Amino acid sequence: FMQLIRSAHHEITEMRAVKAQSYRVPLLAGFHAHLATHAQVYRVVDGSATVGYALLLEDHHGDHSHVTLLEAYLDPLYGDRYEDLFDVIKDQLAPRAYLVRSDECLLVTALLSRGMQLEMSRALMVARTVRPAEEMSGLALAPLDHPHLKAARDVFIHALGETDAPSLEELQAAVPRDTWWVLTVAGEVVG
C-alpha cells in the first residue's frame, strides 16, 4: 500500500542524486532545477519503508490550485509500481500535467498507460569539452547544415555511443527538414 508523506527537500537528497545518475544525459535544465526548489516534496512510503519521492509544483489561483508533477522516482526494486504511484498521486493531488524527460522510459510508459497529460522535455546532449558558462560567449543555435554533420555526429557518439548514434546519412537526410539543430560556441559544434 503506497502513500505520500509530505516531506522536506533534504529528506530526498540521496534519492535525487541516484535519479540524476540514471539519466542517459545527466543534465537538468535550469528552469527545471529552479522549479524543483519551489516544489513540494512527498516521500513515497510502502509499509514503513521510503521507496521513492515525488516533486509537485502547486500553483495557487484563488480558491484552487494547479498541480504539476515535476519529478518522480522509485527505488529500482519498485520499478514496476509506477502505475500504482501515479494512481495515488492522481487521487490525492490531482495534477493537471506531468513533466517528464524523454529518457525516463518507465515514467513515460506508466503515464501513457494511465492516459495522463504529459509535458515532454528532451535533454540537450552536450559534449564534455564544453567550456564553463562564463567562458561561452558566442553561443548560438542553428539548424544542422552540411558543414557541421561530422561534428554533430561526434557529439551523438559521445552521448549515445557508436551503435545508438545516428549515421551521417541519417543526419544528412534530416538537414532539409530542420529536425536536428547544433549548439555552437564561436562556430565550434559543442552540442
Side-chain angles (χ1 to χ4, degrees):
F1 173 70
M2 280 188 180
Q3 56 183 322
L4 301 174
I5 307 292
R6 206 171 174 110
S7 303
H9 281 267
H10 73 273
E11 295 178 82
I12 63 163
T13 302
E14 288 179 28
M15 286 184 287
R16 281 197 83 203
V18 170
K19 180 178 177 66
Q21 293 305 311
S22 73
Y23 295 138
R24 175 171 265 179
V25 180
L27 300 172
L28 277 180
F31 80 92
H32 182 99
H34 174 75
L35 291 176
T37 63
H38 296 285
Q40 178 57 57
V41 174
Y42 292 88
R43 285 183 300 115
V44 179
V45 176
D46 187 26
S48 61
T50 296
V51 298
Y53 72 87
L55 290 180
L56 290 109
L57 187 64
E58 300 172 3
D59 187 15
H60 301 287
H61 294 278
D63 62 345
H64 68 285
S65 292
H66 294 173
V67 177
T68 301
L69 178 74
L70 294 179
E71 277 182 35
Y73 169 80
L74 287 176
D75 183 278
L77 293 175
Y78 285 76
D80 61 348
R81 301 274 314 272
Y82 276 99
E83 286 92 347
D84 298 336
L85 171 60
F86 293 138
D87 288 344
V88 171
I89 290 171
K90 183 179 178 185
D91 291 344
Q92 291 186 20
L93 301 165
R96 295 178 66 141
Y98 298 78
L99 182 67
V100 296
R101 288 170 53 121
S102 59
D103 56 352
E104 292 186 281
C105 297
L106 289 174
L107 283 168
V108 171
T109 302
L111 286 167
L112 289 173
S113 75
R114 290 297 194 251
M116 309 295 195
Q117 177 183 340
L118 305 185
E119 299 292 337
M120 188 71 79
S121 65
R122 181 171 176 155
L124 178 68
M125 293 181 291
V126 180
R128 289 182 182 164
T129 58
V130 173
R131 294 178 270 301
E134 63 274 3
E135 298 175 23
M136 293 183 72
S137 62
L139 186 65
L141 187 64
L144 180 64
D145 57 9
H146 292 280
H148 290 119
L149 286 175
K150 173 80 169 76
R153 182 155 196 279
D154 289 345
V155 174
F156 274 109
I157 290 170
H158 172 80
L160 302 176
E162 181 74 38
T163 57
D164 291 334
S167 67
L168 281 173
E169 292 77 21
E170 290 170 313
L171 288 174
Q172 188 167 359
V175 168
R177 298 189 312 267
D178 287 346
T179 52
W180 295 110
W181 290 63
V182 292
L183 181 67
T184 62
V185 174
E188 177 188 346
V189 175
V190 295

